[in-house]
Amino acid sequence: MACDKHVFKLDSKSHPPEFQTFDGFYNNVFKVDLGAVDTPLLRKVSPVYEDSVYAPVKGYRKNPFEISDALMTRSPACGNDGKVACGSKTGKSAFLVFFGQQVVEEVLDAQRPGCPPEYFNIDIPKNHKFHLGNNITGTTGKSSMPFLRSRYDYKTGHSPSNPRQQLNEITPWIDGGLIYGTSKAWADVLRTNKNGSLAPHGLLASDEDYPEGLFPVQNKIRLPMANPPPPAFHSNFIKEHHTSPVDRFFVLGNPRGNENAFLLSFGIILFRWHNQIATYLSETRKGWSGERVFQEARKWVIATHQHIVAYNWLAEWLGESLNEYPGYDPTVDPQIEQFFQTAAMRFGHTLVTPGAYMRDYACGKCKPISFYGLKIKNKEKFEQPSKFMSNYSVRTCNIYWRPREPFLMPYKHCAGEKGERTRADIDPLLMGMASQRCEREDNMIVEDLRGNVFGPLEFSRRDLMAVNIQRGRDHGTPDYNTARIAFGLPPISSVKEYIEKTNTATPIEILEAMEKLHMPELDEMESEQACQRDSDNDGIMSEVDCIEARRKKAWTNIDVWTGGILETSDRPGPLFRSIIKDQFTRIRNADRFWFENTNWKTPRFTDKQIERIKTLTIYDILVSVTRMLKEDIQSNPFRVPVEGVESDQEFWEKCVNAEPKLWVKSPCWKVNYDKNGDAIGNNVSSICYHFPQLDSNYTPVENCVEVGHYDYFSGSEVSYILTYIFLGVVVLAIASWVPMMVTLKQRRKGSDLVRVQKNLSRSFTISGRVGTPYAGREWISSKDGTRAIAILLTDKNCIQLYSHKNELLRSIDLSGKEKLDIVVVSDGTHLVLKNPTEYDCVLEFDGQLIRSAFMDTIREKLAGVIEIHEQYTALKPALASAITKHERLSRLENFFRIVFAQAFNIDKPSGSKNLLDPKMIREVINTELTRVEFADALGMNTDSQFVEKMFGLVDRDRNGYISFREFLDMLVVFAKGTAEDKAQLMFEMYDIYRTGMLSSEEFKHMIRSMIEAANADVNNEDVEDLVKSMLDSAGLQRDSMVSLQDFQRILGRYKDTLGYAQLNFRGLNVPETKMGTGRNSLHESARAAVISVYGGQDMEESLSESGLRGQPEEKDTSILPNVEQKNRCRTFFELYRLQIFWTLLFTMVVLAIFAERAYYYSVEREHGGLRHIAGYGVTITRGAASVMMFCYALLLLTMCRNSITNLRETFLHRFIPFDNFVLFHKYIAYVGLIFTVIHVIGHSVNFYHISTQTASDLSCLFTDYFRSTHVLPKFHYWCYQTITGITGILLVIHAALIYIFSTTYARTYVFRMFWITHNTYPV
């Protein structure tokens, strides 16, 4: 056991020391965030962004694919004869390489892309395999490989003085982040068992499904670990439309700890190492709590890991050791440097093998173990080693993100000291990696990385070398020579200098190819005047000088990764070595918790403990936490077994010599270097023993699964089409529902006809009305539809229409008429009663039987009294010929126009174009006013005494109607007559018997009617007092008769009180009284006609000229004779100026809202990334959504009828046309509908675009929508499994319900549904 008891001498009751934080804060007490998580990477040299702020480097840099193909392609075999496997020249093992990956994952994580995603795709050359595709696998070619830019500090990248800075998401310290995580919350989850309990005794929780605590718990809690799709299973994913779930992983501190089996094996080693130390501490320190044990064990794990990385692994990696530890230095910045992140730390890529062996223990003669990879083949016995091993090695390119398979595959180990297991565990892979050489230290990269590294589902394989180059450009790192200068190395300008100053082993042909590849084109050189025409040579280009200039320029175009990797000899070249050594030196010296730092008040480790830590190696930990014994693995797993190592004697005898044919002998040497990197003495050559090198001509391995692509919209086609078909069908169904409901309603009416008829008869009998009522409907117009009524023909030959609430709706008096024209509809149940003096009455009965009964009643009661003319025709022409109420109002409007034009000598009244029509003139002359229409024209009540007397006076032929000539004569008197003429007219109204005298009672009635005409309101007592005072002032007695002269004398004295009998015609702008504005007119069109003809400033002058002005101090308007014609547009604007103003204001506000939101999402939220996915469709939909919110909120205000009624009585009615709020309500609804349709169509496009995007991009853009990482969200996910989607579907259906049931047809026939759907509006 590696942990001896004498090491731990701390008193169990001593105060616990300071423990290192998980997130790196407070390691440096002077700058607490130095080395903390999510802090910017260090820059030794300023970035060279294309725009000096954040744009990636482009310039004259060459295509990364071209560089990768030309300079880093792996040869099938090496050596002068081309028959030597390309293995490490110094005996480095695959164990060393993959251990190096966990070192990088310990100090650096800058792989996560920024959010929103920024694509910096790499163009694929036409002759590249990614561009050509694969006819065998059916893979189509692509023109570019997706590349996402790194996450960065959002406080940077705003100006050249504050360029973009990328982030390190973990701490740069060697602090066990790979196993413990970078936050306390994450570490607590690692200590939590499946049942939710905390693992006791400071242990990390182990999975109960595997005995002896061999593995961490499985990620059933679904920690947010990295979960790219395993490229080996790409064909399954594109069929199943999902990837592998994240709960298959073991939980580790680093989210990327399950990337491959090699990396996971080291995480499991550290996991077991912690639990072994924690178990020992809990047994020997009984007074310590579980938390104290956990933190102490963590401290020891970190210390041993620090020692192994800094003094064992790094020495093998660089070929030289770090300088002696000088002690803690708080002024040093430990952060990862950009050159390390983008280039130097990637040196291990050249050493990565195409796979790794799995082998048995020494008791099994160290034979390779079958790993069947992707296909299970027959388990043949080991007869041909090379063939056997090549078929069953763990292939690097196919093991990405399926790391557990080599460990959990069933395997029965050889019987040994430590018993048997039923699973392979990590031991065979660790021993296999230690038994094989890594790839040769050179410029060549295995195909597992150069073209077959994992990628996203839409591009399952990538070229990691192209990614390395592009990453440096993404981070704005300078060129190769700038990096050399930054680290104290001289710049290079030629291939010769490169060889001399780097001591590279790269063939000169590759170096020349690098120089040529990076040479700028001739036109590029001319643009920079680097190649000038030689004036001494007749203007001919100096070709030699130009080529030399281009060569020199080439060395300023080389990326750091390209120039650095080609420096490789038997170890990293001078540049990468300087960067790596500088980085780990800073990490060590800046770490206050470094195990060698003794500058503590209470030392964290005693000198003896530090010495003990320095004796521990990775070998000690392996034999402590696995079942390996000394004979199972060499003492230095970082190198393959070498002859003559005394400590490996037992391993040599029981493993290597047991099956010599398994092992290949190769010469390898080790060069000793001093601290300056210079070789000391000659190379030390030795014989290395290892398994056959994989992927050579002699030992081919399992083929990498070819690159695959994925269309994220696949799987959404059916749901996308069906969804919009469904919505269309639903809208059509709702639209069809209306006539169906009408039909059902009509059928119910037929069955309820008898009951309704009985109820009507009983109702009319109770009310005392005589006659038989008939149920039916009155047709108002094609726009307004019909209304339910009861029809009653009285004994006085009057047809009355009642509502079902027993309210009188209309009365048609047939008395005095000589004939009645009735149009009987032949193809329906309608009757049209023609009424020339008013408007026609169109009746619809519930059946032919009721209509026939009604006709029989009319014939019976009107027989011999009125001549009935019946005419039969179809429904359509019958309705077309019927005069509706609206048409009657239009005719009255023309009536008033012509009457006023005749009365006031207006040559061309407004709208005179239509009035010149002879047919129109005939209609006007033949039009007669009823008493109701006459009263409405005067703005008075129908039962007013003034109206009664005036109507009786004007109706000279006593036919109950006022003709055109009669109304004109009355108007002329009031308009042009003298005061005496007007007084005489008033007097004659009450001089019924034409005696020239009025009794006092008649005089009182006349005074009351004059007061009514003046729109005043007095009671009877006031009238009595007024009459008495007037008679007294004239010297008359109470019972005296009043003559015309007396009346004129009285009227002159009391004209202020009486208002001087001014007729207040609707439409004339008369002064308002304090008593109110009068009742609303039935004929508002008459008002509009007068105002449109006579208005504006000219009316004031007309009043003065005509002498019709009332009181001098009040502004009044009258009619100006010979006024010039006003065009229709001006008239229209004058009439509806308030309506136009508010409509335009609303429209402009709507457009402004739309424009502002569209601008915001197009420009101000451009960085949000959503517009890049959905295009400008998102700007339209967001703008439309804002307009919808505004319109639908405003609709609620226009529905507040009580508030509108109250506001109408205030001064606001002068500025706001409250009478038109219903029309305004409809206009807002129409605008809302238009933008709703735009919004729905836009979202249809947006949902399509979203459904075509990668799952990772959508997770970034829609962080509120949680989903498992293996789920590929399809259209049906966004539409039916998100609140936004499902509510959007329901709202579309809801909107369709409201709007369809808001149509005139629906309101007419199924008003109840209109009311119900409108009441759901607040939803």
Side-chain angles (χ1 to χ4, degrees):
M1 180 177 176
C3 302
D4 296 331
K5 293 184 180 181
H6 73 274
V7 174
F8 302 97
K9 298 298 183 180
L10 294 177
D11 184 0
S12 62
K13 297 182 180 180
S14 64
H15 183 74
E18 178 183 359
F19 294 117
Q20 195 167 359
T21 61
F22 293 93
D23 55 14
F25 280 92
Y26 293 96
N27 189 304
N28 190 311
V29 296
F30 302 102
K31 194 175 188 306
V32 296
D33 62 343
L34 193 67
V37 297
D38 263 348
T39 52
L41 296 172
L42 182 66
R43 287 192 186 272
K44 204 173 185 68
V45 180
S46 299
V48 290
Y49 289 117
E50 193 72 15
D51 60 354
S52 302
V53 181
Y54 71 93
V57 180
K58 294 180 181 177
Y60 300 136
R61 305 286 177 94
K62 298 302 178 180
N63 184 284
F65 278 111
E66 295 178 358
I67 298 172
S68 175
D69 290 345
L71 307 179
M72 303 171 196
T73 301
R74 185 174 186 266
S75 300
C78 300
N80 296 329
D81 56 359
K83 297 181 179 180
V84 179
C86 299
S88 171
K89 295 173 288 188
T90 58
K92 296 183 179 70
S93 67
F95 188 98
L96 173 78
V97 177
F98 293 115
F99 185 90
Q101 184 182 5
Q102 68 88 23
V103 173
V104 173
E105 298 289 349
E106 171 71 18
V107 298
L108 171 64
D109 185 1
Q111 302 183 63
R112 188 152 63 103
C115 183
E118 293 179 276
Y119 281 90
F120 181 32
N121 294 347
I122 308 174
D123 294 333
I124 302 174
K126 291 185 178 180
N127 60 346
H128 195 278
K129 70 172 185 177
F130 288 164
H131 194 283
L132 298 174
N134 191 315
N135 294 329
I136 298 177
T137 61
T139 304
T140 57
K142 298 292 182 180
S143 60
S144 64
M145 184 178 74
F147 178 90
L148 283 163
R149 300 191 66 186
S150 298
R151 184 167 168 261
Y152 62 94
D153 185 354
Y154 294 129
K155 297 189 294 294
T156 65
H158 302 151
S159 67
S161 61
N162 182 26
R164 175 177 290 192
Q165 302 290 355
Q166 289 72 28
L167 297 172
N168 184 4
E169 297 191 15
I170 62 177
T171 72
W173 316 112
I174 301 176
D175 57 358
L178 178 67
I179 184 60
Y180 299 112
T182 56
S183 70
K184 180 66 164 60
W186 192 290
D188 289 344
V189 173
L190 300 180
R191 299 173 60 188
T192 304
N193 294 317
K194 285 184 178 180
N195 60 7
S197 63
L198 190 68
H201 313 305
L203 299 174
L204 291 170
S206 57
D207 201 312
E208 299 172 357
D209 295 338
Y210 309 105
E212 303 178 33
L214 296 178
F215 300 105
V217 293
Q218 202 167 333
N219 190 26
K220 296 300 182 182
I221 197 174
R222 295 198 295 184
L223 276 174
M225 307 185 76
N227 187 28
F233 301 143
H234 185 271
S235 59
N236 296 334
F237 298 149
I238 62 176
K239 294 176 183 178
E240 300 169 357
H241 300 297
H242 67 78
T243 63
S244 301
V246 74
D247 59 6
R248 72 188 188 279
F249 292 142
F250 291 130
V251 293
L252 293 173
N254 192 307
R256 306 183 66 85
N258 287 268
E259 179 186 299
N260 55 65
F262 322 120
L263 177 62
L264 177 60
S265 63
F266 292 107
I268 294 174
I269 289 173
L270 293 176
F271 160 80
R272 295 180 184 177
W273 180 234
H274 170 92
N275 282 354
Q276 182 160 328
I277 295 176
T279 300
Y280 175 80
L281 290 177
S282 64
E283 292 174 355
T284 58
R285 300 293 184 268
K286 300 296 185 181
W288 284 1
S289 64
E291 178 65 21
R292 176 70 184 276
V293 170
F294 172 81
Q295 293 293 353
E296 290 287 351
R298 173 172 172 252
K299 181 182 72 172
W300 277 87
V301 170
I302 292 173
T304 53
H305 194 217
Q306 288 174 344
H307 166 69
I308 293 171
V309 170
Y311 299 121
N312 297 156
W313 171 82
L314 193 59
E316 297 287 353
W317 191 255
L318 296 180
E320 60 185 84
S321 302
L322 293 179
N323 297 335
E324 186 178 347
Y325 179 62
Y328 170 62
D329 186 352
T331 64
V332 175
D333 190 341
Q335 188 54 276
I336 302 301
E337 208 278 329
Q338 284 279 8
F339 290 125
F340 180 87
Q341 195 276 335
T342 59
M345 71 94 172
R346 303 168 190 262
F347 165 75
H349 294 169
T350 187
L351 306 179
V352 172
T353 58
Y357 288 105
M358 297 177 66
R359 71 165 176 82
D360 209 340
Y361 301 92
C363 61
K365 299 183 179 181
C366 299
K367 293 180 179 180
I369 293 177
S370 301
F371 177 67
Y372 295 97
L374 298 177
K375 297 179 181 179
I376 300 178
K377 300 181 179 180
N378 56 331
K379 300 181 180 180
E380 68 235 70
K381 294 184 178 180
F382 180 68
E383 296 177 354
Q384 298 178 349
S386 60
K387 181 179 178 181
F388 183 88
M389 290 183 288
S390 65
N391 287 338
Y392 303 116
S393 61
V394 180
R395 185 67 195 265
T396 302
C397 61
N398 291 334
I399 202 64
Y400 293 126
W401 302 108
R402 39 191 287 252
R404 303 192 311 158
E405 295 179 27
F407 310 146
L408 303 182
M409 72 173 191
Y411 182 76
K412 186 176 182 181
H413 294 278
C414 61
E417 181 182 338
K418 296 190 176 182
E420 299 180 353
R421 290 181 183 172
T422 58
R423 296 185 183 274
D425 198 10
I426 63 174
D427 301 17
L429 184 62
L430 293 171
M431 292 185 293
M433 289 190 293
S435 301
Q436 70 179 102
R437 290 187 303 172
C438 66
E439 286 295 298
R440 193 177 66 170
E441 302 89 342
D442 53 22
N443 59 296
M444 296 189 298
I445 311 296
V446 296
E447 64 175 356
D448 297 68
L449 301 185
R450 206 192 65 79
N452 286 295
V453 78
F454 66 90
L457 196 62
E458 70 274 15
F459 211 106
S460 64
R461 297 293 191 182
R462 296 179 300 165
D463 186 338
L464 188 55
M465 302 308 102
V467 171
N468 290 349
I469 296 170
Q470 196 79 336
R471 185 65 66 197
R473 299 174 185 181
D474 167 29
H475 287 209
T477 53
D479 61 277
Y480 166 68
N481 266 333
T482 302
R484 285 183 61 86
I485 296 172
F487 284 89
L489 301 173
I492 294 173
S493 60
S494 67
V495 172
K496 182 179 180 181
E497 285 185 20
Y498 191 89
I499 296 173
E500 292 174 351
K501 295 177 180 179
T502 64
N503 196 28
T504 179
T506 304
I508 190 171
E509 296 84 4
I510 298 295
L511 300 179
E512 291 174 346
M514 176 179 69
E515 182 183 64
K516 183 177 180 181
L517 183 63
H518 289 86
M519 286 172 61
E521 299 298 332
L522 188 60
D523 56 347
E524 295 174 353
M525 295 297 295
E526 288 182 331
S527 64
E528 292 191 4
Q529 298 181 352
C531 290
Q532 299 291 338
R533 293 185 179 274
D534 190 345
S535 59
D536 297 332
N537 198 17
D538 299 328
I540 300 175
M541 179 73 71
S542 178
E543 186 174 343
V544 175
D545 293 340
C546 185
I547 293 175
E548 186 63 25
R550 291 174 62 200
R551 283 177 176 171
K552 291 182 178 180
K553 183 68 176 178
W555 294 92
T556 64
N557 292 337
I558 297 175
D559 297 277
V560 179
W561 161 251
T562 306
I565 195 63
L566 265 63
E567 289 184 354
T568 306
S569 55
D570 59 334
R571 59 179 183 155
L575 177 59
F576 280 4
R577 216 166 46 244
S578 299
I579 296 173
I580 295 172
K581 191 172 182 179
D582 167 77
Q583 183 65 66
F584 281 97
T585 299
R586 287 187 292 107
I587 290 175
R588 180 192 65 178
N589 297 347
D591 190 355
R592 187 163 60 96
F593 294 93
W594 188 260
F595 78 98
E596 293 177 281
N597 179 23
T598 58
N599 188 21
W600 290 83
K601 184 176 181 180
T602 301
R604 300 179 75 246
F605 295 103
T606 64
D607 292 340
K608 194 172 184 179
Q609 290 172 343
I610 293 174
E611 290 303 317
R612 174 59 179 155
I613 291 172
K614 289 182 177 181
T615 63
L616 293 175
T617 64
I618 188 64
Y619 170 84
D620 297 318
I621 296 177
L622 288 177
V623 298
S624 295
V625 300
T626 67
R627 297 200 174 197
M628 286 186 274
L629 302 175
K630 293 181 64 176
E631 67 267 20
D632 296 321
I633 192 170
Q634 67 269 29
S635 58
N636 183 9
F638 292 144
R639 287 184 175 271
V640 294
V642 181
E643 282 184 334
V645 179
E646 185 177 352
S647 58
D648 291 341
Q649 191 65 33
E650 189 173 351
F651 164 75
W652 205 262
E653 294 176 357
K654 296 185 178 181
C655 193
V656 178
N657 293 335
E659 285 286 349
K661 62 180 180 180
L662 293 175
W663 303 87
V664 176
K665 295 191 297 182
S666 299
C668 55
W669 61 86
K670 182 176 182 181
V671 183
N672 296 317
Y673 298 93
D674 59 19
K675 295 181 179 179
N676 297 323
D678 299 325
I680 304 175
N682 298 323
N683 296 345
V684 179
S685 179
S686 58
I687 301 298
C688 294
Y689 285 75
H690 55 84
F691 286 168
Q693 198 73 20
L694 293 174
D695 200 23
S696 69
N697 289 334
Y698 309 102
T699 55
V701 293
E702 179 184 57
N703 292 329
C704 294
V705 176
E706 290 290 336
V707 60
H709 306 299
Y710 183 68
D711 180 2
Y712 282 90
F713 191 72
S714 62
S716 297
E717 301 92 336
V718 175
S719 59
Y720 187 84
I721 295 172
L722 290 181
T723 294
Y724 289 102
I725 291 177
F726 166 74
L727 287 177
V729 169
V730 168
V731 172
L732 292 176
I734 295 173
S736 303
W737 190 18
V738 176
M740 290 175 59
M741 293 182 67
V742 173
T743 302
L744 292 174
K745 189 175 182 180
Q746 296 291 349
R747 291 179 180 177
R748 287 197 302 269
K749 283 183 180 180
S751 61
D752 296 340
L753 183 60
V754 177
R755 179 179 55 83
V756 172
Q757 193 70 29
K758 290 181 179 180
N759 291 340
L760 285 175
S761 299
R762 183 169 59 255
S763 173
F764 278 75
T765 301
I766 294 173
S767 63
R769 295 186 177 89
V770 180
T772 301
Y774 296 89
R777 302 187 69 83
E778 181 188 13
W779 182 78
I780 307 299
S781 66
S782 58
K783 180 180 179 181
D784 299 324
T786 63
R787 59 181 176 182
I789 57 168
I791 310 166
L792 182 67
L793 181 60
T794 66
D795 294 337
K796 295 182 180 181
N797 296 335
C798 182
I799 299 177
Q800 296 178 338
L801 306 183
Y802 289 88
S803 69
H804 286 187
K805 294 182 180 180
N806 208 9
E807 298 173 345
L808 180 62
L809 301 177
R810 185 180 178 186
S811 179
I812 304 175
D813 189 3
L814 300 178
S815 59
K817 293 185 178 296
E818 296 179 358
K819 67 176 181 178
L820 174 64
D821 293 328
I822 301 178
V823 178
V824 182
V825 175
S826 58
D827 57 348
T829 59
H830 294 71
L831 282 180
V832 181
L833 304 179
K834 309 297 285 187
N835 189 5
T837 57
E838 297 182 36
Y839 57 93
D840 298 340
C841 180
V842 182
L843 303 176
E844 179 187 2
F845 296 90
D846 292 332
Q848 293 283 356
L849 182 63
I850 298 180
R851 187 179 72 172
S852 299
F854 178 74
M855 286 293 297
D856 292 341
T857 302
I858 289 181
R859 296 188 188 102
E860 180 182 346
K861 288 194 175 184
L862 300 182
V865 180
I866 299 176
E867 182 181 355
I868 301 177
H869 290 181
E870 298 182 15
Q871 178 184 356
Y872 290 84
T873 185
L875 176 62
K876 188 173 181 180
L879 295 180
S881 62
I883 304 299
T884 63
K885 184 177 181 180
H886 176 75
E887 293 172 346
R888 172 69 177 180
L889 294 177
S890 177
R891 183 174 295 182
L892 289 178
E893 180 180 349
N894 294 327
F895 177 91
F896 289 121
R897 286 178 181 271
I898 295 179
V899 166
F900 279 103
Q902 291 288 329
F904 304 114
N905 296 326
I906 299 174
D907 294 334
K908 295 181 179 180
S910 178
S912 60
K913 183 176 180 180
N914 291 335
L915 299 181
L916 296 179
D917 184 9
K919 181 181 179 181
M920 179 66 68
I921 294 176
R922 282 196 301 271
E923 287 181 353
V924 169
I925 294 176
N926 294 328
T927 299
E928 293 182 321
L929 298 182
T930 64
R931 179 173 172 177
V932 173
E933 293 169 341
F934 177 74
D936 197 61
L938 298 180
M940 303 178 66
N941 293 326
T942 305
D943 55 356
S944 167
Q945 291 188 22
F946 180 84
V947 171
E948 180 183 356
K949 297 297 183 180
M950 180 64 73
F951 188 84
L953 178 65
V954 176
D955 183 17
R956 296 178 181 178
D957 56 4
R958 297 294 187 269
N959 66 344
Y961 298 94
I962 296 179
S963 66
F964 177 82
R965 173 51 57 187
E966 291 170 343
F967 189 82
L968 179 61
D969 292 342
M970 178 209 69
L971 190 61
V972 168
V973 171
F974 273 91
K976 297 183 179 181
T978 63
E980 290 75 11
D981 293 338
K982 297 176 184 179
Q984 183 176 356
L985 179 63
M986 295 289 293
F987 188 85
E988 290 176 355
M989 287 171 55
Y990 290 87
D991 185 10
I992 300 174
Y993 300 105
R994 301 295 185 267
T995 61
M997 303 292 290
L998 294 178
S999 66
S1000 59
E1001 191 65 25
E1002 291 173 334
F1003 180 72
K1004 182 174 71 173
H1005 289 315
M1006 182 181 67
I1007 296 301
R1008 174 176 289 279
S1009 68
M1010 293 178 68
I1011 294 174
E1012 290 175 350
N1015 288 326
D1017 186 16
V1018 294
N1019 54 35
N1020 290 330
E1021 293 180 359
D1022 294 334
V1023 174
E1024 290 286 349
D1025 294 339
L1026 179 61
V1027 170
K1028 183 176 183 302
S1029 63
M1030 293 174 68
L1031 293 176
D1032 291 342
S1033 63
L1036 300 175
Q1037 300 298 322
R1038 174 74 181 212
D1039 54 353
S1040 299
M1041 303 294 288
V1042 179
S1043 66
L1044 178 60
Q1045 292 76 16
D1046 297 333
F1047 173 70
Q1048 291 176 341
R1049 186 170 63 254
I1050 294 172
L1051 194 63
R1053 296 177 181 178
Y1054 289 90
K1055 67 178 181 180
D1056 290 338
T1057 304
L1058 300 175
Y1060 203 61
Q1062 180 179 358
L1063 290 182
N1064 187 19
F1065 284 100
R1066 296 280 185 179
L1068 288 175
N1069 187 12
V1070 297
E1072 291 187 10
T1073 65
K1074 295 182 180 179
M1075 303 302 175
T1077 60
R1079 66 184 183 88
N1080 292 329
S1081 172
L1082 177 64
H1083 304 295
E1084 289 293 339
S1085 58
R1087 282 172 161 267
V1090 178
I1091 294 175
S1092 64
V1093 178
Y1094 324 105
Q1097 192 66 28
D1098 296 338
M1099 295 183 67
E1100 179 70 18
E1101 301 173 3
S1102 178
L1103 281 170
S1104 301
E1105 294 177 3
S1106 63
L1108 297 179
R1109 186 169 179 175
Q1111 300 179 7
E1113 66 277 12
E1114 294 181 355
K1115 181 177 286 188
D1116 196 3
T1117 58
S1118 184
I1119 296 86
L1120 176 65
N1122 302 318
V1123 67
E1124 295 185 2
Q1125 180 184 5
K1126 300 178 181 179
N1127 58 57
R1128 284 189 174 185
C1129 292
R1130 180 178 176 183
T1131 303
F1132 179 82
F1133 282 109
E1134 288 175 350
L1135 283 174
Y1136 302 106
R1137 58 186 181 276
L1138 288 180
Q1139 291 87 338
I1140 293 173
F1141 169 77
W1142 286 106
T1143 302
L1144 288 177
L1145 179 62
F1146 167 76
T1147 305
M1148 288 189 293
V1149 170
V1150 164
L1151 295 178
I1153 292 174
F1154 179 83
E1156 189 276 334
R1157 288 289 88 187
Y1159 173 82
Y1160 176 78
Y1161 281 96
S1162 297
V1163 179
E1164 295 187 8
R1165 287 294 297 172
E1166 179 77 6
H1167 62 280
L1170 188 58
R1171 196 202 63 74
H1172 287 281
I1173 289 179
Y1176 286 99
V1178 70
T1179 65
I1180 295 175
T1181 52
R1182 296 315 304 162
S1186 299
V1187 172
M1188 288 164 55
M1189 289 187 288
F1190 175 71
C1191 289
Y1192 292 142
L1194 197 60
L1195 278 177
L1196 292 175
L1197 294 178
T1198 60
M1199 294 170 66
C1200 300
R1201 291 177 292 178
N1202 292 336
S1203 300
I1204 292 174
T1205 301
N1206 294 331
L1207 291 173
R1208 186 187 287 115
E1209 302 300 327
T1210 67
F1211 72 95
L1212 291 177
H1213 78 278
R1214 294 178 177 270
F1215 310 103
I1216 304 175
F1218 291 110
D1219 292 338
N1220 299 100
F1221 80 94
V1222 174
L1223 292 177
F1224 192 54
H1225 175 86
K1226 292 181 179 179
Y1227 179 71
I1228 296 173
Y1230 283 131
V1231 173
L1233 176 61
I1234 291 172
F1235 280 95
T1236 298
V1237 173
I1238 293 174
H1239 186 72
V1240 171
I1241 295 175
H1243 264 311
S1244 301
V1245 178
N1246 291 345
F1247 269 116
Y1248 169 77
H1249 284 299
I1250 289 173
S1251 301
T1252 63
Q1253 302 305 305
T1254 68
S1256 58
D1257 288 356
L1258 295 177
S1259 296
C1260 157
L1261 296 173
F1262 302 103
T1263 55
D1264 294 335
Y1265 295 104
F1266 173 78
R1267 56 175 176 77
S1268 301
T1269 54
H1270 70 282
V1271 174
L1272 303 178
K1274 300 298 178 182
F1275 172 80
H1276 38 270
Y1277 166 81
W1278 296 109
C1279 205
Y1280 300 107
Q1281 298 181 43
T1282 63
I1283 295 298
T1284 302
I1286 192 65
T1287 54
I1289 293 290
L1290 296 176
L1291 287 175
V1292 169
I1293 298 174
H1294 186 230
L1297 279 169
I1298 291 179
Y1299 276 100
I1300 289 175
F1301 281 102
S1302 297
T1303 59
T1304 302
Y1305 181 80
R1307 294 200 315 272
T1308 301
Y1309 294 103
V1310 283
F1311 184 83
R1312 179 179 177 82
M1313 287 302 300
F1314 161 76
W1315 187 251
I1316 292 174
T1317 55
H1318 258 55
N1319 282 336
T1320 63
Y1321 173 80
V1323 177

